[in-house]
Amino acid sequence: GRVAAKYYVRTFDPAPSNVEDRIGSIGVGLPEEVSHNMFNEDVCAKKNITLTTETGTIGGLPAMGMFFGMAIAPTRLVSSGSIFSMWKKHLHTACLGAVDVDELGNVNVSRRGPHISDVVGSGGFPNLVDSARHIVFVCSWAAHAHYTVDKKTGHLKILRAGKPKFLKNVGEITFCGRVALDLGKTVVYCTHVGVFQLTPRGLELIEVVPGVDVEKDILSFSKARIHVSESLRVVSPSVMNGEGYTLL
């Protein structure tokens, strides 16, 4: 959540010339942690960012968990149709979850497994990825994995590797990476082990979490081909252990 929050807030700098364009949207699941982090530091007020959800809440704090779709102290409530129209004109950045991702940056959120009961649909997801100029995906690096963080050093320790969520090909494409690049969008994927950016050659690791072995824990583990940036950075330990952590 903290890693994604850093990137989500970073996309709003430099400030757009039009105040109306400082509109962001938060999806269900792990993206909810982004709004929680922003609320704790009063980022929306300081950066003049307005958070929205597909149910039509504008402003305030998007509710979490089973209450997602509501908001605490919103400034306005409109219909889903109205919020989709607003996004088309003004949505700056969207933060969304992902079931799995492939090496071309395609994302599946609509099919969670092989059975008909696993088809959950896309909801407002297509509207969000179509409208947003910047897209931040936040998801776990692997399914059924188990991690721990050293509170002193901020290093991540992988206790159980789990099952890769970054694949050669996703089973169902809900978001198309190629189309996003063609439209000039910037797309990043924030995970437990690092941050990946979508480039014309595919997924590129641009920031790695301290304690993670790039070759062993990322390149060899992933089923998707991963490129490593020549200017690879290490995530600040404060993001991992919370010591001195700040979004601004």
Side-chain angles (χ1 to χ4, degrees), residues 101-103 141 164-168 196 203 214-226:
V101 181
D102 71 22
E103 61 185 39
W141 172 242
K165 288 172 67 74
F166 280 59
L167 313 173
K168 178 72 176 177
F196 306 84
L203 295 176
V214 172
E215 179 60 44
K216 173 178 173 288
D217 300 326
I218 297 179
L219 302 183
S220 296
F221 177 79
S222 173
K223 291 186 177 180
R225 182 182 181 188
I226 303 292

Side-chain angles (χ1 to χ4, degrees), residues 109-125:
V109 300
S110 47
R111 179 181 287 273
R112 296 179 178 174
H115 307 295
I116 188 65
S117 58
D118 296 318
V119 179
V120 296
S122 57
F125 183 95

Side-chain angles (χ1 to χ4, degrees), residues 219-235:
L219 302 183
S220 296
F221 177 79
S222 173
K223 291 186 177 180
R225 182 182 181 188
I226 303 292
H227 304 276
V228 179
S229 170
E230 293 182 357
S231 55
L232 179 66
R233 303 181 299 273
V234 178
V235 173

